[in-house]
Amino acid sequence: MLKDRTKIHDAPGKIGQKISIYGWVEDKRVVGGVAFLIIRDPTGKIQVTIKRDQNSELFALATDIPRQSTVKATGIVREFNNIIEIIPDSIKILSTAQHPLPIDPTGRTEASIHKLIQNRPLSLRIPEINAIFRLRSITKQVIREFFISKGYIEIDTPKIIATATEGGANLFEVDYFGRSAYLAQSPQLYKEQLTMGFDGVFEIAQFYRAEKSHTRRHLTEFTSVDLEVAYADYNDVMDILEELMKYVFSEVPKRGRAELEILQYKPPPPPKEVPRITYDEALDVVRAGGVDIEWGDDIDGDALDVLARKYPGFYFIVDWPWDSKPFYIRRKGRLSESFDLMIGRLELSSGGTREHIYEELKKNISEKGLNVESFEYHTRFYKYGMPPHAGFGLGLDRLMTVLAGRENIREVVLYPRDPETITP
Ligand code: 4AD
Ligand code: MG
């Protein structure tokens, strides 16, 4: 099949030639003795015109084909009245679509997000939805390319683990042959360990958070872009993350121009420079904006609104209270060598310098109220010459909402998982 297939967007370059296209019947009109089929494939759409008095058998077949059925059409490409069309000498139905369809794949009748997700494969026939997931694929490629150009090693860490990494809450427990195991919340501890032998490691993978959040930016299964770099501190990895954002926000609009045109959306321009404000400075801004906030509080709700008004684009909030960060972050008195990358009110990434000194790391664990022994499987490597290191985790799904101009994280994930939904 593939050998004789012409992609529909290549058809206009083949006027006068006989080609075969494969696709689905998006629309069908019969005007007098002429049947018009609009055939679409992921690259475009084209009209197939059949006249009854030229081929009555084909005309009968065309008028009977249910919309959305998959077909192969073979015929001569021609241009008539500025319209490119195919005059077929054969049409083969490859698979028939049964009606009623659960959603309208032309997108003319709008369906709810829930219905689109429940019918995800069929929804990919809606050009906008198809474009979102092509853009996501482009974005992953651009990110991977950036890391590889830096010489970082792509790693794969386990998703079934024995101990929490981000603290005890939000863990999905699984029955592991009668023992308790958990779904990984992040590759955190493994990626840190691997800096013993690699200069830098990255992973793009799904992770799990048992959070009963019903927001437009939380999922229970999300994709994280993780980096960890040896002989680096948090300033170094903020530089890398800033460079990555510049690269992504300049490359993705170029390579995804067709997709963004379909979406009729222009992502924010690549940042020129990303301001780095301290947590303390952020509190000053919030208070000056008339919102009460105590030192040590997380910055959310109204406080974020105030901050986002002053910084509508990218900015870092650095030096968070140590109490608000996980045990592996390096402590700096009552502060920590940590950062969040924000765009407006959305947190895109968190990262920091890690504690690489064995005794200090154990002290951090016990100060967080965690059991030092249960982390021995991890901390023991810090006795054998662990390099200083730093890294970040970047939420790919959240990044995609910004790149594709979507409000809800569920729109940029093929099969989103939230507290209510684990199907399809
Ligand atoms: O801020 P988080 O929890 O940080 C970590 O996981 C650290 N291990 C990262 C590090 O290297 N220090 O998660 C990182 C990012 C968040 O900023 C957010 O973009 C995304 O992952 N994220 C989620 N996205 C969707 N749904 C969720 N439930 C998410 N939890 C985190
Ligand atoms: Mg965070």
Side-chain angles (χ1 to χ4, degrees):
M1 280 191 268
L2 282 180
K3 289 217 176 68
D4 74 348
R5 178 178 181 193
T6 297
K7 290 185 180 168
I8 289 176
H9 73 167
D10 293 328
K14 307 213 169 197
I15 289 170
Q17 296 176 38
K18 187 166 173 171
I19 64 167
S20 291
I21 56 162
Y22 291 78
W24 60 89
V25 178
E26 181 177 81
D27 208 356
K28 187 175 77 177
R29 269 179 310 129
V30 182
V31 184
V34 189
F36 300 97
L37 298 180
I38 303 299
I39 310 284
R40 191 185 270 285
D41 73 9
T43 70
K45 59 178 176 178
I46 195 163
Q47 178 172 299
V48 173
T49 309
I50 309 112
K51 286 191 178 147
R52 183 167 42 203
D53 33 348
Q54 279 170 6
N55 193 334
S56 61
E57 224 172 280
L58 214 53
F59 179 83
L61 178 124
T63 51
D64 280 350
I65 298 177
R67 288 180 173 83
Q68 297 301 321
S69 300
T70 307
V71 298
K72 172 188 184 181
T74 304
I76 305 283
V77 185
R78 67 164 200 182
E79 189 176 348
F80 181 68
N81 283 345
N82 288 326
I83 290 176
I84 308 280
E85 60 181 1
I86 292 177
I87 309 300
D89 48 53
S90 96
I91 295 175
K92 231 200 268 173
I93 300 180
L94 305 173
S95 161
T96 308
Q98 291 182 25
H99 288 242
L101 299 164
I103 54 168
D104 172 13
T106 66
R108 263 175 247 144
T109 321
E110 249 184 65
S112 65
I113 294 187
H114 179 73
K115 270 208 134 168
L116 292 172
I117 292 168
Q118 290 301 317
N119 296 285
R120 182 58 92 204
L122 194 54
S123 81
L124 293 180
R125 291 188 171 179
I126 301 173
E128 288 80 10
I129 292 183
N130 198 287
I132 289 172
F133 294 105
R134 293 207 308 264
L135 200 68
R136 185 173 168 120
S137 171
I138 290 167
T139 304
K140 281 176 86 171
Q141 191 179 328
V142 166
I143 293 171
R144 190 169 267 127
E145 209 178 87
F146 175 86
F147 286 148
I148 287 171
S149 77
K150 299 268 176 206
Y152 302 143
I153 303 299
E154 184 160 12
I155 55 167
D156 307 282
T157 61
K159 306 297 171 273
I160 303 174
I161 55 166
T163 343
T165 57
E166 307 297 314
N170 306 339
L171 271 174
F172 280 114
E173 196 170 345
V174 292
D175 175 0
Y176 197 72
F177 307 112
R179 271 186 297 161
S180 270
Y182 306 94
L183 296 182
Q185 301 160 302
S186 117
Q188 185 63 37
L189 306 186
Y190 293 107
K191 67 174 178 171
E192 286 193 50
Q193 293 173 11
L194 296 171
T195 63
M196 280 201 101
F198 296 122
D199 270 344
V201 293
F202 74 97
E203 178 168 12
I204 306 175
Q206 279 142 302
F207 290 94
Y208 302 88
R209 306 269 169 112
E211 289 176 294
K212 279 230 160 173
S213 306
H214 296 90
T215 75
R216 290 183 295 187
R217 40 177 214 289
H218 286 94
L219 294 170
T220 51
E221 180 179 64
F222 72 103
T223 300
S224 183
V225 175
D226 275 275
L227 179 71
E228 203 67 28
V229 183
Y231 310 106
D233 65 15
Y234 72 142
N235 286 310
D236 299 317
V237 287
M238 275 191 279
D239 290 345
I240 296 168
L241 182 52
E242 186 169 333
E243 198 187 329
L244 174 64
M245 288 300 106
K246 288 175 184 164
Y247 190 63
V248 164
F249 280 82
S250 73
E251 271 317 294
V252 172
K254 274 189 237 155
R255 296 189 212 178
R257 187 184 311 169
E259 286 72 19
L260 288 164
E261 245 163 49
I262 292 169
L263 292 170
Q264 299 186 315
Y265 179 70
K266 226 175 117 177
K272 288 204 172 61
E273 201 187 321
V274 180
R276 297 177 188 185
I277 61 165
T278 65
Y279 173 83
D280 282 1
E281 285 163 350
L283 290 201
D284 289 343
V285 173
V286 169
R287 287 182 186 130
V291 173
D292 261 349
I293 188 164
E294 292 221 15
W295 197 89
D297 285 355
D298 195 14
I299 303 174
D300 54 15
D302 296 343
L304 263 187
D305 288 333
V306 174
L307 210 53
R309 239 175 283 142
K310 177 150 183 201
Y311 300 101
F314 291 94
Y315 59 102
F316 286 105
I317 305 174
V318 307
D319 298 346
W320 287 79
W322 192 74
D323 282 347
S324 71
K325 289 290 170 184
F327 73 84
Y328 52 78
I329 292 280
R330 171 154 265 204
R331 189 168 187 164
K332 191 161 85 171
R334 62 174 194 158
L335 302 178
S336 62
E337 293 194 15
S338 59
F339 62 84
D340 277 7
L341 173 67
M342 311 289 297
I343 182 162
R345 47 186 337 286
L346 183 67
E347 178 195 317
L348 282 180
S349 170
S350 290
T353 313
R354 320 308 189 182
E355 184 51 68
H356 72 283
I357 304 295
Y358 178 63
E359 288 75 21
E360 293 297 320
L361 185 59
K362 294 220 296 192
K363 207 157 90 193
N364 282 1
I365 292 172
S366 80
E367 277 182 32
K368 292 288 177 190
L370 300 166
N371 183 340
V372 177
E373 275 78 58
S374 69
F375 284 95
E376 185 60 20
Y377 81 96
H378 168 65
T379 52
R380 66 193 185 95
F381 298 113
Y382 288 64
K383 293 188 289 191
Y384 311 133
M386 183 62 73
H389 56 278
F392 61 77
L394 165 72
L396 180 72
D397 317 297
R398 289 190 186 178
L399 178 68
M400 286 317 303
T401 61
V402 181
L403 284 167
R406 300 286 127 169
E407 291 282 319
N408 192 324
I409 197 165
R410 291 162 186 78
E411 293 177 76
V412 299
V413 176
L414 282 168
Y415 298 100
R417 296 293 180 251
D418 64 31
E420 272 64 52
T421 315
I422 51 167
T423 55

